[in-house]
Amino acid sequence: MSTDAALRARAAKVIPGGMWGHLNAAKLPEGYPQFFARGEGGHVWDVDGNRYVDLMCSWGPIILGHHDPVVEAAARRQADLGDCLNGPGPVLVELAERLVERIPAADWAMFMKNGTDATTACVTIARAATGRGTILLANGSYHGAAPWCTPVPAGTRPEDRANQGRFDYNDVASLTAAADAAGSDLAGIIITAFRHDNVVDQELPSREFAEAARRICDTRGAALILDDVRAGFRLHPGGSWEGLGVRPDLSAWSKAIANGHALAAVTGRDSLREAAASVFVTGSFWCSAVSMAAAVATLEELERRDVVGQLERLGLMLREGLAERARGFNIGLRQSGPVSMPLFLFEGDQEFRAGRAFCAAALKAGAYLHPRHNMFLCAAHTEADIALVLDAAEAGFRALAA
Amino acid sequence: MSTDAALRARAAKVIPGGMWGHLNAAKLPEGYPQFFARGEGGHVWDVDGNRYVDLMCSWGPIILGHHDPVVEAAARRQADLGDCLNGPGPVLVELAERLVERIPAADWAMFMKNGTDATTACVTIARAATGRGTILLANGSYHGAAPWCTPVPAGTRPEDRANQGRFDYNDVASLTAAADAAGSDLAGIIITAFRHDNVVDQELPSREFAEAARRICDTRGAALILDDVRAGFRLHPGGSWEGLGVRPDLSAWSKAIANGHALAAVTGRDSLREAAASVFVTGSFWCSAVSMAAAVATLEELERRDVVGQLERLGLMLREGLAERARGFNIGLRQSGPVSMPLFLFEGDQEFRAGRAFCAAALKAGAYLHPRHNMFLCAAHTEADIALVLDAAEAGFRALAA
């Protein structure tokens, strides 16, 4: 029995369903490990000693690479002083200042642990600021796993999703209609940095859509909330909509902010500062200094290494290489979203059989890909890693063609 | 200007209100620092180099002492392998097994980051298990800072607190009446380990009350949820109601579980296992292995050092010493709750003026106390530390008497 299988058998006894949440490997193709032993740079090792080029990057948090030496040294220096104390360390102020410097839409910052903490705080702040209730969300968008936003309704109640309106991503008419329906109760609009809904092609936001969201919030006195939890720092160092020239009132951050250390943040504009100070959101570990020291180091390294540019170059190499190989096999491969956060889906593959067979073969060849979820590149990936992924993909295409 | 004042001035620019949540020092007496430099054992140092005997223990997480060498060594060993990966490490299984071994009411475990994550998951699991909506909560109890439970309603909506009934802690008649009012919609009852509401005397649960809660849940098919986030591991190694002989269906844990590392947990009985597997609760850092390695080490050390017994001995020394000194000054000091989680309030001190003056004087004499919130002892406190706190308290009583 493999070590992974032995651990799964033990887990089945003491963990409901053997594993919970998005890290449950039960729905991944045969051969995917549930348990991991370690990570280094752009690679991870499972508990049976198999090494993979890691294209999930821990589902987003790893942006510089596993065990980044600069980040880990900063974390260790802070850990030698203290982590969770009776109040924050000086690093809280330093981190907030860095974010305000680097994010044009940020006049202030607050910190949490989960992306869901940050999106929930944004919604709460928008409601406190406006004294209104309705928040608009795009159909299919993921904003976290609290009762108000979890995609699986088990154990939630209809009231958890009260005070919400829905629109379609990138559809100005449906957004306008939802805002009209909310009328004078419109507190805010929350939008993911790009459309990265589960199991459908990704879509970048159109400039028209982003500008319409901004205009609707401006004319109706509502707050525009950018959910940058998943994409933050991978597309633009100052916020994912900077390239569009549209600035949110509130932004939710997490995932990559501290290169794997548990941290989330809300940043906002001065107009929302008083409301942010009025709400009571808190947690026992929200001021833990080690994650903040890791975040300061991560932000510095992102800039110093031009990580956005580097991820784009690597991502383009991957995208073009995959397209070329798919054409060679005459396979209909759809690639969507930013090149640094790629999603591969196969034409006509409603049940993901092709995707699963492709990924299972690529896994055996040393590339850890995902058959349905967007993936993530990191700055520790090398051209040799991308070449290995392309060879692994070739094995995947060969399996499909067979 | 002190370093603390300089940091506060910088923070005022980039953090709403200068600080948010329960770690905001603005409401503490003059002289209390906002920012901390480090911790070691039972002591903390503020950013101006003042050392205090720490009776807040980071508001609960520190149970063995700051920088516990065994816990930190375990955390470092895991950090050298990996923390946040594409799935959990083997330590997830080890930790779940330990909890199931040591907690009689636990057949399984799941892990999160915040105490609020754990209480929210318990409520969600109870609703999923029963298919019903109503959760009963005690008036004044703190279960976290999400919209359904935050004590400050700013930015929340009435619907966030729908499907809730209220009762008074330790009042069987009011609990029964609330259960009757919920009728066939009763999904669960959530109760803190003891009554540790804000700014009122603490109260241990009566056996009659705990047994009534258990009986109501049994006869009506609802889930009994013990919110052991704050008290967990300080009163009994197997759950805070073990001494009462009453076992919950679900327990929420956080704070002390990993001696300051960010972690929370839900444990539950087999009857709730399927429901726990059916809900979708997750977070980017919920499987971070370092916090789990810290938790495994913490649980081992709690047992090896008989921490519950040690905290009781130290707490009793503190309580008796304070009572004796208060009598000497003829001051009406009310001490309540478990001796290891003490709360001091002064007779007739509605505006906490006496409490504030007392704490301010004690702080100058080197003891970090809290004028309104329960405090926490840790296993690194020594008899000499308690003696120092008693001397500092003497200075506090003297200030009051003057």
Side-chain angles (χ1 to χ4, degrees):
Chain A
M1 193 191 276
S2 70
T3 303
D4 194 73
L7 283 167
R8 286 191 198 219
R10 286 167 57 194
K13 293 184 189 156
V14 292
I15 295 166
M19 185 56 207
W20 72 100
H22 68 294
L23 297 184
N24 188 340
K27 288 179 186 167
L28 288 172
E30 179 110 6
Y32 270 73
Q34 175 65 75
F35 293 94
F36 288 82
R38 64 190 185 97
E40 199 68 51
H43 300 102
V44 284
W45 284 257
D46 66 23
V47 289
D48 290 293
N50 302 300
R51 187 185 95 149
Y52 309 100
V53 175
D54 178 16
L55 250 63
M56 281 310 282
C57 289
S58 313
W59 297 68
I62 302 300
I63 187 167
L64 296 171
H66 293 279
H67 260 183
D68 181 79
V70 177
V71 174
E72 292 313 302
R76 190 160 291 196
R77 275 194 303 277
Q78 181 64 54
D80 286 343
L81 295 171
D83 184 19
C84 180
L85 298 163
N86 290 343
V91 70
L92 164 74
V93 182
E94 194 184 346
L95 176 57
E97 287 174 344
R98 295 287 169 96
L99 290 172
V100 167
E101 274 164 31
R102 96 186 264 128
I103 300 167
D107 295 316
W108 52 261
M110 293 165 71
F111 301 95
M112 297 95 189
K113 287 285 118 178
N114 302 310
T116 305
D117 297 339
T119 56
T120 304
C122 284
V123 165
T124 306
I125 293 167
R127 287 177 173 154
T130 58
R132 307 175 192 165
T134 305
I135 300 289
L136 304 185
L137 306 81
N139 290 306
S141 279
Y142 181 78
H143 295 295
W148 71 271
C149 55
T150 182
V152 178
T156 69
R157 308 298 291 176
E159 290 87 349
D160 295 328
R161 289 173 299 281
N163 302 301
Q164 297 182 359
R166 297 278 168 173
F167 61 90
D168 291 326
Y169 203 103
N170 263 344
D171 183 333
V172 174
S174 85
L175 179 61
T176 307
D180 287 346
S184 61
D185 192 51
L186 183 65
I189 305 175
I190 184 166
I191 310 183
T192 54
F194 63 95
R195 189 180 179 210
H196 47 60
D197 307 353
N198 209 17
V199 305
V200 295
D201 292 331
Q202 302 191 113
E203 255 182 66
L204 295 174
S206 71
R207 183 180 297 270
E208 187 202 359
F209 174 70
E211 287 173 351
R214 180 68 272 170
R215 194 171 53 243
I216 288 169
C217 287
D218 287 341
T219 57
R220 304 185 192 212
L224 178 58
I225 305 167
L226 185 65
D227 179 351
D228 226 346
V229 168
R230 193 182 299 182
F233 307 110
R234 273 192 167 81
L235 306 189
H236 190 291
S240 294
W241 280 16
E242 276 302 300
L244 295 170
V246 173
R247 293 191 173 149
D249 299 305
L250 295 164
S251 298
W253 309 84
S254 184
K255 294 273 191 201
I257 192 170
N259 199 50
H261 291 262
L263 192 68
V266 171
T267 58
R269 290 181 152 175
D270 268 331
S271 54
L272 279 297
R273 187 190 286 261
E274 200 183 325
S278 78
V279 305
F280 187 76
V281 294
T282 196
S284 294
F285 309 108
W286 286 16
C287 284
S288 292
V290 170
S291 60
M292 293 182 178
V296 168
T298 300
L299 295 174
E300 269 175 25
E301 292 303 296
L302 287 175
E303 215 153 302
R304 197 179 66 74
R305 303 184 202 170
D306 178 26
V307 166
V308 169
Q310 198 185 336
L311 297 185
E312 270 171 16
R313 280 190 299 279
L314 290 166
L316 199 63
M317 181 182 166
L318 175 64
R319 182 157 298 184
E320 288 176 350
L322 279 173
E324 188 190 317
R325 279 159 184 77
R327 272 195 303 273
F329 283 94
N330 203 20
I331 284 173
L333 179 71
R334 294 204 311 268
Q335 303 189 69
S336 59
V339 294
S340 58
M341 296 173 66
L343 175 72
F344 320 144
L345 295 175
F346 290 87
E347 292 292 352
D349 189 31
Q350 267 79 17
E351 291 173 7
F352 304 104
R353 283 193 198 149
R356 293 170 66 87
F358 171 81
C359 285
L363 186 84
K364 274 191 193 153
Y368 190 98
L369 309 176
H370 200 288
R372 293 179 311 273
H373 194 281
N374 78 271
M375 289 165 271
F376 300 87
L377 271 68
C378 77
H381 286 134
T382 61
E383 295 197 3
D385 290 331
I386 301 299
L388 187 150
V389 172
L390 290 174
D391 286 348
E394 179 118 4
F397 290 130
R398 213 175 298 122
L400 288 190
Chain B
M1 194 191 275
S2 70
T3 303
D4 193 73
L7 283 166
R8 284 189 199 221
R10 285 167 58 194
K13 294 186 188 153
V14 291
I15 294 166
M19 184 56 207
W20 73 100
H22 68 293
L23 297 185
N24 187 340
K27 288 180 185 166
L28 288 173
E30 179 110 6
Y32 269 73
Q34 175 65 74
F35 293 94
F36 287 82
R38 64 190 185 95
E40 198 68 51
H43 301 103
V44 285
W45 283 257
D46 66 23
V47 288
D48 289 291
N50 302 301
R51 187 185 94 148
Y52 309 101
V53 175
D54 179 15
L55 250 62
M56 281 310 282
C57 289
S58 312
W59 298 67
I62 301 300
I63 188 167
L64 296 171
H66 294 280
H67 260 182
D68 182 78
V70 176
V71 174
E72 292 314 302
R76 190 159 293 194
R77 276 194 303 276
Q78 181 62 54
D80 286 344
L81 295 171
D83 184 19
C84 180
L85 298 163
N86 289 344
V91 70
L92 164 73
V93 182
E94 194 183 347
L95 176 57
E97 287 173 343
R98 294 288 169 99
L99 290 173
V100 167
E101 274 164 30
R102 93 185 267 128
I103 300 166
D107 295 316
W108 51 261
M110 295 166 69
F111 301 97
M112 299 96 190
K113 287 285 118 178
N114 302 311
T116 305
D117 297 339
T119 56
T120 303
C122 284
V123 165
T124 307
I125 292 167
R127 285 177 174 155
T130 58
R132 307 175 192 165
T134 304
I135 300 290
L136 305 184
L137 307 81
N139 290 306
S141 280
Y142 182 77
H143 295 294
W148 71 270
C149 56
T150 180
V152 178
T156 69
R157 308 297 291 178
E159 290 87 349
D160 295 327
R161 289 174 298 282
N163 302 301
Q164 296 183 0
R166 297 278 169 172
F167 60 90
D168 291 325
Y169 202 101
N170 263 347
D171 182 333
V172 174
S174 85
L175 179 61
T176 307
D180 287 344
S184 62
D185 192 51
L186 183 65
I189 306 175
I190 183 166
I191 311 183
T192 54
F194 63 94
R195 190 180 178 210
H196 46 59
D197 306 353
N198 208 15
V199 307
V200 294
D201 292 331
Q202 303 192 115
E203 255 181 68
L204 295 174
S206 70
R207 183 180 297 269
E208 186 200 359
F209 174 69
E211 286 174 351
R214 181 68 272 171
R215 193 171 53 242
I216 288 170
C217 287
D218 287 340
T219 56
R220 306 185 191 212
L224 178 58
I225 304 167
L226 185 65
D227 178 350
D228 226 346
V229 167
R230 193 182 299 182
F233 306 109
R234 273 192 166 82
L235 307 189
H236 191 290
S240 293
W241 280 17
E242 276 301 300
L244 295 170
V246 173
R247 291 188 176 152
D249 300 304
L250 294 164
S251 298
W253 309 86
S254 183
K255 295 273 191 198
I257 192 170
N259 200 50
H261 291 261
L263 191 67
V266 170
T267 58
R269 289 181 154 177
D270 268 331
S271 53
L272 280 298
R273 187 190 285 261
E274 199 183 324
S278 77
V279 305
F280 187 77
V281 294
T282 195
S284 294
F285 310 109
W286 287 16
C287 284
S288 293
V290 170
S291 60
M292 294 182 178
V296 168
T298 300
L299 296 174
E300 267 176 25
E301 291 303 296
L302 287 175
E303 214 154 301
R304 198 179 64 76
R305 302 184 202 171
D306 179 26
V307 166
V308 168
Q310 197 184 337
L311 298 184
E312 270 171 16
R313 280 189 300 278
L314 290 166
L316 199 62
M317 181 183 165
L318 175 64
R319 182 157 298 184
E320 288 177 349
L322 279 172
E324 188 190 317
R325 279 158 184 78
R327 273 194 304 272
F329 283 94
N330 203 21
I331 285 173
L333 179 72
R334 293 203 315 266
Q335 303 189 69
S336 61
V339 294
S340 58
M341 296 175 65
L343 175 72
F344 320 144
L345 295 174
F346 290 86
E347 291 293 351
D349 189 31
Q350 267 79 17
E351 291 172 11
F352 304 102
R353 283 193 197 147
R356 293 171 67 88
F358 172 81
C359 285
L363 186 83
K364 274 193 193 151
Y368 190 98
L369 309 176
H370 200 289
R372 292 180 312 275
H373 195 282
N374 78 271
M375 291 165 270
F376 299 87
L377 271 68
C378 77
H381 286 133
T382 61
E383 295 198 2
D385 289 331
I386 301 299
L388 186 149
V389 172
L390 290 174
D391 286 347
E394 179 119 5
F397 290 130
R398 213 175 297 122
L400 287 190

